[in-house]
mmCIF file of all heavy atoms in Angstrom:
data_model
loop_
_atom_site.group_PDB
_atom_site.id
_atom_site.type_symbol
_atom_site.label_atom_id
_atom_site.label_comp_id
_atom_site.label_asym_id
_atom_site.label_seq_id
_atom_site.Cartn_x
_atom_site.Cartn_y
_atom_site.Cartn_z
ATOM 1 N N ASN B 213 20.646 -61.369 25.324
ATOM 2 C CA ASN B 213 19.307 -60.934 24.928
ATOM 3 C C ASN B 213 18.697 -61.733 23.782
ATOM 4 O O ASN B 213 17.826 -61.238 23.082
ATOM 5 C CB ASN B 213 19.319 -59.439 24.563
ATOM 6 C CG ASN B 213 17.950 -58.822 24.653
ATOM 7 O OD1 ASN B 213 17.186 -59.162 25.558
ATOM 8 N ND2 ASN B 213 17.604 -57.961 23.717
ATOM 9 N N MET B 214 19.134 -62.972 23.576
ATOM 10 C CA MET B 214 18.459 -63.816 22.606
ATOM 11 C C MET B 214 17.330 -64.530 23.355
ATOM 12 O O MET B 214 17.538 -64.981 24.473
ATOM 13 C CB MET B 214 19.411 -64.861 22.012
ATOM 14 C CG MET B 214 20.511 -64.283 21.139
ATOM 15 S SD MET B 214 21.921 -63.700 22.076
ATOM 16 C CE MET B 214 22.775 -65.212 22.458
ATOM 17 N N ASN B 215 16.144 -64.610 22.726
ATOM 18 C CA ASN B 215 15.085 -65.304 23.461
ATOM 19 C C ASN B 215 14.457 -66.477 22.735
ATOM 20 O O ASN B 215 13.340 -66.879 23.039
ATOM 21 C CB ASN B 215 14.015 -64.319 23.971
ATOM 22 C CG ASN B 215 13.620 -63.360 22.902
ATOM 23 O OD1 ASN B 215 13.712 -63.697 21.719
ATOM 24 N ND2 ASN B 215 13.196 -62.174 23.277
ATOM 25 N N SER B 216 15.194 -67.039 21.790
ATOM 26 C CA SER B 216 14.790 -68.317 21.206
ATOM 27 C C SER B 216 16.041 -68.987 20.645
ATOM 28 O O SER B 216 17.064 -68.325 20.471
ATOM 29 C CB SER B 216 13.772 -68.111 20.089
ATOM 30 O OG SER B 216 14.383 -67.452 18.995
ATOM 31 N N PHE B 217 15.956 -70.305 20.402
ATOM 32 C CA PHE B 217 17.105 -71.006 19.819
ATOM 33 C C PHE B 217 17.432 -70.398 18.461
ATOM 34 O O PHE B 217 18.588 -70.248 18.094
ATOM 35 C CB PHE B 217 16.802 -72.501 19.660
ATOM 36 C CG PHE B 217 16.790 -73.257 20.969
ATOM 37 C CD1 PHE B 217 16.957 -72.601 22.172
ATOM 38 C CD2 PHE B 217 16.623 -74.628 20.983
ATOM 39 C CE1 PHE B 217 16.951 -73.294 23.375
ATOM 40 C CE2 PHE B 217 16.621 -75.338 22.171
ATOM 41 C CZ PHE B 217 16.780 -74.667 23.363
ATOM 42 N N ARG B 218 16.385 -70.062 17.715
ATOM 43 C CA ARG B 218 16.598 -69.457 16.399
ATOM 44 C C ARG B 218 17.294 -68.115 16.554
ATOM 45 O O ARG B 218 18.172 -67.771 15.776
ATOM 46 C CB ARG B 218 15.253 -69.284 15.681
ATOM 47 C CG ARG B 218 15.126 -70.187 14.474
ATOM 48 C CD ARG B 218 13.860 -69.874 13.687
ATOM 49 N NE ARG B 218 13.712 -68.470 13.351
ATOM 50 C CZ ARG B 218 12.539 -67.872 13.163
ATOM 51 N NH1 ARG B 218 11.426 -68.547 13.285
ATOM 52 N NH2 ARG B 218 12.492 -66.596 12.854
ATOM 53 N N GLY B 219 16.892 -67.373 17.596
ATOM 54 C CA GLY B 219 17.516 -66.082 17.874
ATOM 55 C C GLY B 219 19.012 -66.243 18.125
ATOM 56 O O GLY B 219 19.818 -65.424 17.672
ATOM 57 N N VAL B 220 19.388 -67.306 18.853
ATOM 58 C CA VAL B 220 20.813 -67.551 19.115
ATOM 59 C C VAL B 220 21.545 -67.777 17.795
ATOM 60 O O VAL B 220 22.594 -67.198 17.534
ATOM 61 C CB VAL B 220 20.993 -68.785 20.036
ATOM 62 C CG1 VAL B 220 22.467 -69.143 20.172
ATOM 63 C CG2 VAL B 220 20.386 -68.521 21.405
ATOM 64 N N ARG B 221 20.936 -68.607 16.939
ATOM 65 C CA ARG B 221 21.571 -68.910 15.650
ATOM 66 C C ARG B 221 21.722 -67.646 14.808
ATOM 67 O O ARG B 221 22.770 -67.380 14.229
ATOM 68 C CB ARG B 221 20.737 -69.965 14.912
ATOM 69 C CG ARG B 221 21.390 -70.472 13.631
ATOM 70 C CD ARG B 221 20.690 -71.700 13.094
ATOM 71 N NE ARG B 221 19.285 -71.420 12.819
ATOM 72 C CZ ARG B 221 18.386 -72.362 12.512
ATOM 73 N NH1 ARG B 221 18.748 -73.627 12.444
ATOM 74 N NH2 ARG B 221 17.133 -72.041 12.283
ATOM 75 N N GLU B 222 20.655 -66.841 14.783
ATOM 76 C CA GLU B 222 20.687 -65.627 13.958
ATOM 77 C C GLU B 222 21.668 -64.596 14.506
ATOM 78 O O GLU B 222 22.393 -63.947 13.747
ATOM 79 C CB GLU B 222 19.277 -65.026 13.863
ATOM 80 C CG GLU B 222 18.349 -65.864 13.008
ATOM 81 C CD GLU B 222 16.892 -65.408 13.104
ATOM 82 O OE1 GLU B 222 16.591 -64.505 13.925
ATOM 83 O OE2 GLU B 222 16.070 -65.963 12.377
ATOM 84 N N ALA B 223 21.699 -64.454 15.830
ATOM 85 C CA ALA B 223 22.611 -63.484 16.449
ATOM 86 C C ALA B 223 24.061 -63.860 16.154
ATOM 87 O O ALA B 223 24.888 -63.004 15.824
ATOM 88 C CB ALA B 223 22.371 -63.420 17.956
ATOM 89 N N LEU B 224 24.368 -65.166 16.259
ATOM 90 C CA LEU B 224 25.730 -65.625 15.985
ATOM 91 C C LEU B 224 26.088 -65.388 14.522
ATOM 92 O O LEU B 224 27.187 -64.949 14.191
ATOM 93 C CB LEU B 224 25.866 -67.115 16.329
ATOM 94 C CG LEU B 224 25.927 -67.431 17.822
ATOM 95 C CD1 LEU B 224 25.755 -68.929 18.054
ATOM 96 C CD2 LEU B 224 27.250 -66.957 18.414
ATOM 97 N N ASP B 225 25.117 -65.685 13.669
ATOM 98 C CA ASP B 225 25.324 -65.506 12.239
ATOM 99 C C ASP B 225 25.656 -64.038 11.930
ATOM 100 O O ASP B 225 26.609 -63.735 11.213
ATOM 101 C CB ASP B 225 24.039 -65.924 11.525
ATOM 102 C CG ASP B 225 24.299 -66.262 10.082
ATOM 103 O OD1 ASP B 225 25.220 -67.053 9.849
ATOM 104 O OD2 ASP B 225 23.584 -65.713 9.219
ATOM 105 N N PHE B 226 24.884 -63.135 12.516
ATOM 106 C CA PHE B 226 25.130 -61.708 12.302
ATOM 107 C C PHE B 226 26.500 -61.317 12.844
ATOM 108 O O PHE B 226 27.281 -60.636 12.177
ATOM 109 C CB PHE B 226 24.051 -60.870 12.997
ATOM 110 C CG PHE B 226 24.340 -59.385 12.928
ATOM 111 C CD1 PHE B 226 23.884 -58.635 11.855
ATOM 112 C CD2 PHE B 226 25.092 -58.767 13.915
ATOM 113 C CE1 PHE B 226 24.174 -57.281 11.775
ATOM 114 C CE2 PHE B 226 25.390 -57.412 13.840
ATOM 115 C CZ PHE B 226 24.930 -56.668 12.764
ATOM 116 N N GLU B 227 26.788 -61.780 14.049
ATOM 117 C CA GLU B 227 28.013 -61.371 14.719
ATOM 118 C C GLU B 227 29.263 -61.874 13.985
ATOM 119 O O GLU B 227 30.274 -61.170 13.914
ATOM 120 C CB GLU B 227 27.992 -61.857 16.173
ATOM 121 C CG GLU B 227 29.123 -61.382 17.048
ATOM 122 C CD GLU B 227 29.233 -59.862 17.194
ATOM 123 O OE1 GLU B 227 28.266 -59.161 16.859
ATOM 124 O OE2 GLU B 227 30.310 -59.390 17.609
ATOM 125 N N ILE B 228 29.179 -63.078 13.419
ATOM 126 C CA ILE B 228 30.319 -63.604 12.649
ATOM 127 C C ILE B 228 30.577 -62.700 11.448
ATOM 128 O O ILE B 228 31.710 -62.293 11.184
ATOM 129 C CB ILE B 228 30.040 -65.048 12.171
ATOM 130 C CG1 ILE B 228 30.038 -65.990 13.373
ATOM 131 C CG2 ILE B 228 31.076 -65.494 11.146
ATOM 132 C CD1 ILE B 228 29.443 -67.350 13.081
ATOM 133 N N ARG B 229 29.508 -62.349 10.746
ATOM 134 C CA ARG B 229 29.679 -61.505 9.560
ATOM 135 C C ARG B 229 30.228 -60.132 9.959
ATOM 136 O O ARG B 229 31.080 -59.578 9.281
ATOM 137 C CB ARG B 229 28.362 -61.386 8.791
ATOM 138 C CG ARG B 229 28.154 -62.607 7.890
ATOM 139 C CD ARG B 229 26.923 -62.495 7.029
ATOM 140 N NE ARG B 229 25.726 -62.818 7.794
ATOM 141 C CZ ARG B 229 24.677 -62.029 7.918
ATOM 142 N NH1 ARG B 229 24.665 -60.848 7.326
ATOM 143 N NH2 ARG B 229 23.651 -62.398 8.644
ATOM 144 N N ARG B 230 29.754 -59.615 11.094
ATOM 145 C CA ARG B 230 30.233 -58.303 11.545
ATOM 146 C C ARG B 230 31.728 -58.361 11.872
ATOM 147 O O ARG B 230 32.503 -57.500 11.452
ATOM 148 C CB ARG B 230 29.450 -57.861 12.785
ATOM 149 C CG ARG B 230 29.689 -56.409 13.217
ATOM 150 C CD ARG B 230 29.035 -56.107 14.558
ATOM 151 N NE ARG B 230 29.733 -56.744 15.667
ATOM 152 C CZ ARG B 230 30.760 -56.213 16.311
ATOM 153 N NH1 ARG B 230 31.196 -55.020 15.983
ATOM 154 N NH2 ARG B 230 31.359 -56.880 17.293
ATOM 155 N N GLN B 231 32.126 -59.405 12.597
ATOM 156 C CA GLN B 231 33.535 -59.499 12.996
ATOM 157 C C GLN B 231 34.449 -59.732 11.789
ATOM 158 O O GLN B 231 35.527 -59.138 11.697
ATOM 159 C CB GLN B 231 33.725 -60.628 14.027
ATOM 160 C CG GLN B 231 33.096 -60.306 15.375
ATOM 161 C CD GLN B 231 33.461 -61.325 16.455
ATOM 162 O OE1 GLN B 231 34.317 -62.175 16.258
ATOM 163 N NE2 GLN B 231 32.799 -61.246 17.600
ATOM 164 N N VAL B 232 34.007 -60.586 10.870
ATOM 165 C CA VAL B 232 34.826 -60.864 9.683
ATOM 166 C C VAL B 232 35.011 -59.584 8.868
ATOM 167 O O VAL B 232 36.104 -59.274 8.410
ATOM 168 C CB VAL B 232 34.185 -61.984 8.823
ATOM 169 C CG1 VAL B 232 34.836 -62.043 7.439
ATOM 170 C CG2 VAL B 232 34.313 -63.322 9.535
ATOM 171 N N LYS B 233 33.919 -58.818 8.742
ATOM 172 C CA LYS B 233 33.993 -57.587 7.972
ATOM 173 C C LYS B 233 34.996 -56.615 8.600
ATOM 174 O O LYS B 233 35.809 -56.005 7.902
ATOM 175 C CB LYS B 233 32.600 -56.943 7.925
ATOM 176 C CG LYS B 233 32.381 -56.058 6.711
ATOM 177 C CD LYS B 233 30.909 -55.805 6.525
ATOM 178 C CE LYS B 233 30.652 -54.424 5.979
ATOM 179 N NZ LYS B 233 29.226 -54.061 6.098
ATOM 180 N N LEU B 234 34.949 -56.513 9.929
ATOM 181 C CA LEU B 234 35.917 -55.645 10.620
ATOM 182 C C LEU B 234 37.351 -56.066 10.298
ATOM 183 O O LEU B 234 38.192 -55.245 9.935
ATOM 184 C CB LEU B 234 35.705 -55.716 12.140
ATOM 185 C CG LEU B 234 34.548 -54.910 12.730
ATOM 186 C CD1 LEU B 234 34.386 -55.244 14.201
ATOM 187 C CD2 LEU B 234 34.782 -53.419 12.544
ATOM 188 N N LEU B 235 37.617 -57.370 10.408
ATOM 189 C CA LEU B 235 38.978 -57.873 10.192
ATOM 190 C C LEU B 235 39.409 -57.679 8.740
ATOM 191 O O LEU B 235 40.553 -57.320 8.461
ATOM 192 C CB LEU B 235 39.065 -59.351 10.586
ATOM 193 C CG LEU B 235 38.804 -59.640 12.075
ATOM 194 C CD1 LEU B 235 38.871 -61.133 12.362
ATOM 195 C CD2 LEU B 235 39.797 -58.899 12.962
ATOM 196 N N GLU B 236 38.480 -57.919 7.818
ATOM 197 C CA GLU B 236 38.791 -57.734 6.396
ATOM 198 C C GLU B 236 39.178 -56.288 6.116
ATOM 199 O O GLU B 236 40.006 -56.014 5.262
ATOM 200 C CB GLU B 236 37.578 -58.107 5.531
ATOM 201 C CG GLU B 236 37.171 -59.554 5.665
ATOM 202 C CD GLU B 236 37.846 -60.443 4.646
ATOM 203 O OE1 GLU B 236 38.962 -60.937 4.915
ATOM 204 O OE2 GLU B 236 37.244 -60.632 3.581
ATOM 205 N N ASN B 237 38.534 -55.372 6.854
ATOM 206 C CA ASN B 237 38.832 -53.948 6.669
ATOM 207 C C ASN B 237 39.959 -53.469 7.584
ATOM 208 O O ASN B 237 40.095 -52.291 7.850
ATOM 209 C CB ASN B 237 37.579 -53.102 6.933
ATOM 210 C CG ASN B 237 36.536 -53.345 5.881
ATOM 211 O OD1 ASN B 237 36.865 -53.675 4.748
ATOM 212 N ND2 ASN B 237 35.270 -53.208 6.247
ATOM 213 N N LYS B 238 40.717 -54.440 8.096
ATOM 214 C CA LYS B 238 41.872 -54.138 8.943
ATOM 215 C C LYS B 238 41.475 -53.361 10.205
ATOM 216 O O LYS B 238 42.242 -52.551 10.714
ATOM 217 C CB LYS B 238 42.930 -53.326 8.169
ATOM 218 C CG LYS B 238 43.417 -53.993 6.906
ATOM 219 C CD LYS B 238 44.809 -54.607 7.136
ATOM 220 C CE LYS B 238 45.336 -55.281 5.871
ATOM 221 N NZ LYS B 238 44.634 -56.525 5.527
ATOM 222 N N GLN B 239 40.244 -53.606 10.678
ATOM 223 C CA GLN B 239 39.841 -52.974 11.940
ATOM 224 C C GLN B 239 39.892 -54.015 13.048
ATOM 225 O O GLN B 239 40.044 -55.205 12.779
ATOM 226 C CB GLN B 239 38.428 -52.400 11.808
ATOM 227 C CG GLN B 239 38.383 -51.141 10.968
ATOM 228 C CD GLN B 239 36.954 -50.734 10.701
ATOM 229 O OE1 GLN B 239 36.227 -51.408 9.981
ATOM 230 N NE2 GLN B 239 36.550 -49.642 11.313
ATOM 231 N N ARG B 240 39.734 -53.549 14.282
ATOM 232 C CA ARG B 240 39.822 -54.467 15.405
ATOM 233 C C ARG B 240 38.438 -54.804 15.954
ATOM 234 O O ARG B 240 37.538 -53.986 15.927
ATOM 235 C CB ARG B 240 40.653 -53.845 16.536
ATOM 236 C CG ARG B 240 42.166 -53.930 16.297
ATOM 237 C CD ARG B 240 42.957 -53.453 17.504
ATOM 238 N NE ARG B 240 42.291 -52.380 18.240
ATOM 239 C CZ ARG B 240 41.914 -52.472 19.503
ATOM 240 N NH1 ARG B 240 42.099 -53.577 20.168
ATOM 241 N NH2 ARG B 240 41.361 -51.448 20.101
ATOM 242 N N VAL B 241 38.287 -56.016 16.443
ATOM 243 C CA VAL B 241 37.087 -56.379 17.189
ATOM 244 C C VAL B 241 37.314 -55.913 18.625
ATOM 245 O O VAL B 241 38.383 -56.145 19.188
ATOM 246 C CB VAL B 241 36.860 -57.901 17.171
ATOM 247 C CG1 VAL B 241 35.683 -58.280 18.055
ATOM 248 C CG2 VAL B 241 36.636 -58.383 15.743
ATOM 249 N N ILE B 242 36.330 -55.221 19.193
ATOM 250 C CA ILE B 242 36.474 -54.760 20.573
ATOM 251 C C ILE B 242 35.825 -55.779 21.497
ATOM 252 O O ILE B 242 34.710 -56.243 21.230
ATOM 253 C CB ILE B 242 35.782 -53.391 20.760
ATOM 254 C CG1 ILE B 242 36.443 -52.368 19.828
ATOM 255 C CG2 ILE B 242 35.854 -52.940 22.215
ATOM 256 C CD1 ILE B 242 35.635 -51.102 19.670
ATOM 257 N N GLN B 243 36.515 -56.120 22.565
ATOM 258 C CA GLN B 243 35.922 -57.043 23.536
ATOM 259 C C GLN B 243 34.834 -56.312 24.303
ATOM 260 O O GLN B 243 35.097 -55.346 25.025
ATOM 261 C CB GLN B 243 36.989 -57.570 24.493
ATOM 262 C CG GLN B 243 36.395 -58.559 25.479
ATOM 263 C CD GLN B 243 37.424 -59.452 26.115
ATOM 264 O OE1 GLN B 243 38.600 -59.444 25.751
ATOM 265 N NE2 GLN B 243 36.983 -60.229 27.088
ATOM 266 N N GLU B 244 33.592 -56.765 24.132
ATOM 267 C CA GLU B 244 32.467 -56.059 24.746
ATOM 268 C C GLU B 244 31.255 -56.991 24.790
ATOM 269 O O GLU B 244 31.258 -58.066 24.200
ATOM 270 C CB GLU B 244 32.112 -54.811 23.915
ATOM 271 C CG GLU B 244 31.700 -55.168 22.493
ATOM 272 C CD GLU B 244 31.343 -53.964 21.627
ATOM 273 O OE1 GLU B 244 31.297 -52.854 22.158
ATOM 274 O OE2 GLU B 244 31.116 -54.158 20.427
ATOM 275 N N THR B 245 30.219 -56.531 25.495
ATOM 276 C CA THR B 245 28.956 -57.251 25.508
ATOM 277 C C THR B 245 28.032 -56.606 24.498
ATOM 278 O O THR B 245 27.905 -55.381 24.463
ATOM 279 C CB THR B 245 28.324 -57.201 26.908
ATOM 280 O OG1 THR B 245 29.234 -57.771 27.832
ATOM 281 C CG2 THR B 245 27.020 -57.977 26.936
ATOM 282 N N ARG B 246 27.412 -57.420 23.656
ATOM 283 C CA ARG B 246 26.500 -56.882 22.657
ATOM 284 C C ARG B 246 25.130 -57.520 22.830
ATOM 285 O O ARG B 246 25.006 -58.680 23.216
ATOM 286 C CB ARG B 246 27.039 -57.129 21.243
ATOM 287 C CG ARG B 246 28.387 -56.459 20.986
ATOM 288 C CD ARG B 246 28.919 -56.752 19.605
ATOM 289 N NE ARG B 246 28.119 -56.145 18.556
ATOM 290 C CZ ARG B 246 28.272 -54.888 18.122
ATOM 291 N NH1 ARG B 246 29.201 -54.118 18.663
ATOM 292 N NH2 ARG B 246 27.513 -54.416 17.152
ATOM 293 N N LEU B 247 24.095 -56.745 22.551
ATOM 294 C CA LEU B 247 22.729 -57.243 22.713
ATOM 295 C C LEU B 247 22.123 -57.530 21.347
ATOM 296 O O LEU B 247 22.324 -56.780 20.390
ATOM 297 C CB LEU B 247 21.873 -56.197 23.443
ATOM 298 C CG LEU B 247 22.333 -55.805 24.834
ATOM 299 C CD1 LEU B 247 21.383 -54.784 25.447
ATOM 300 C CD2 LEU B 247 22.419 -57.034 25.731
ATOM 301 N N TRP B 248 21.389 -58.631 21.270
ATOM 302 C CA TRP B 248 20.707 -59.008 20.030
ATOM 303 C C TRP B 248 19.356 -58.306 19.962
ATOM 304 O O TRP B 248 18.596 -58.298 20.931
ATOM 305 C CB TRP B 248 20.515 -60.519 19.983
ATOM 306 C CG TRP B 248 19.639 -61.028 18.874
ATOM 307 C CD1 TRP B 248 18.439 -61.680 19.014
ATOM 308 C CD2 TRP B 248 19.898 -60.971 17.466
ATOM 309 N NE1 TRP B 248 17.967 -62.033 17.780
ATOM 310 C CE2 TRP B 248 18.829 -61.594 16.809
ATOM 311 C CE3 TRP B 248 20.944 -60.440 16.684
ATOM 312 C CZ2 TRP B 248 18.750 -61.720 15.414
ATOM 313 C CZ3 TRP B 248 20.875 -60.552 15.302
ATOM 314 C CH2 TRP B 248 19.790 -61.186 14.682
ATOM 315 N N ASP B 249 19.103 -57.654 18.842
ATOM 316 C CA ASP B 249 17.797 -57.049 18.600
ATOM 317 C C ASP B 249 17.078 -57.901 17.562
ATOM 318 O O ASP B 249 17.428 -57.877 16.377
ATOM 319 C CB ASP B 249 17.992 -55.613 18.090
ATOM 320 C CG ASP B 249 16.660 -54.874 17.951
ATOM 321 O OD1 ASP B 249 15.654 -55.537 17.608
ATOM 322 O OD2 ASP B 249 16.627 -53.654 18.194
#
Side-chain angles (χ1 to χ4, degrees):
Chain B
N213 202 38
M214 292 83 78
N215 46 28
S216 67
F217 287 4
R218 248 187 52 208
V220 173
R221 187 168 59 190
E222 289 170 354
L224 285 168
D225 201 50
F226 174 89
E227 187 60 16
I228 291 166
R229 278 184 281 125
R230 190 188 72 87
Q231 291 189 10
V232 166
K233 206 163 146 194
L234 282 173
L235 297 178
E236 298 269 88
N237 292 331
K238 303 257 181 289
Q239 286 172 292
R240 281 187 327 119
V241 175
I242 299 165
Q243 182 160 353
E244 61 180 354
T245 301
R246 299 178 67 85
L247 300 181
W248 171 244
D249 186 326

